[in-house]
Amino acid sequence: MRCDTCKQESPVVMRIVIAKGYNRSLARPLFNCPGCFEKKEDTKRVERNPGGKTGA
């Protein structure tokens, strides 16, 4: 399998389609290797919580 982001071959690729506040069921599917997947998830976390503020 090949990562759609970095184009490297990987034994595992992942994609989140639906999660709380996130729905990509109609979007073009992009599958990521574990490294690119984690970077993408980190970016989404920062976008949801700019400045790193907690709810406390």
Side-chain angles (χ1 to χ4, degrees):
M1 293 177 274
R2 190 171 299 275
C3 175
D4 289 322
T5 301
C6 71
K7 309 299 185 211
Q8 297 295 311
E9 287 190 25
S10 176
V12 175
V13 291
M14 299 174 277
R15 175 183 182 221
I16 293 181
V17 178
I18 297 176
K20 184 177 181 179
Y22 186 84
N23 182 346
R24 293 294 184 254
S25 59
L26 298 177
R28 184 179 139 249
L30 292 174
F31 294 90
N32 295 122
C33 66
C36 290
F37 182 85
E38 192 58 39
K39 288 177 192 173
K40 185 176 176 181
E41 289 300 298
D42 287 345
T43 299
K44 284 194 285 188
R45 278 190 280 275
V46 169
E47 288 172 357
R48 277 186 248 133
N49 191 14
K53 295 179 184 175
T54 62

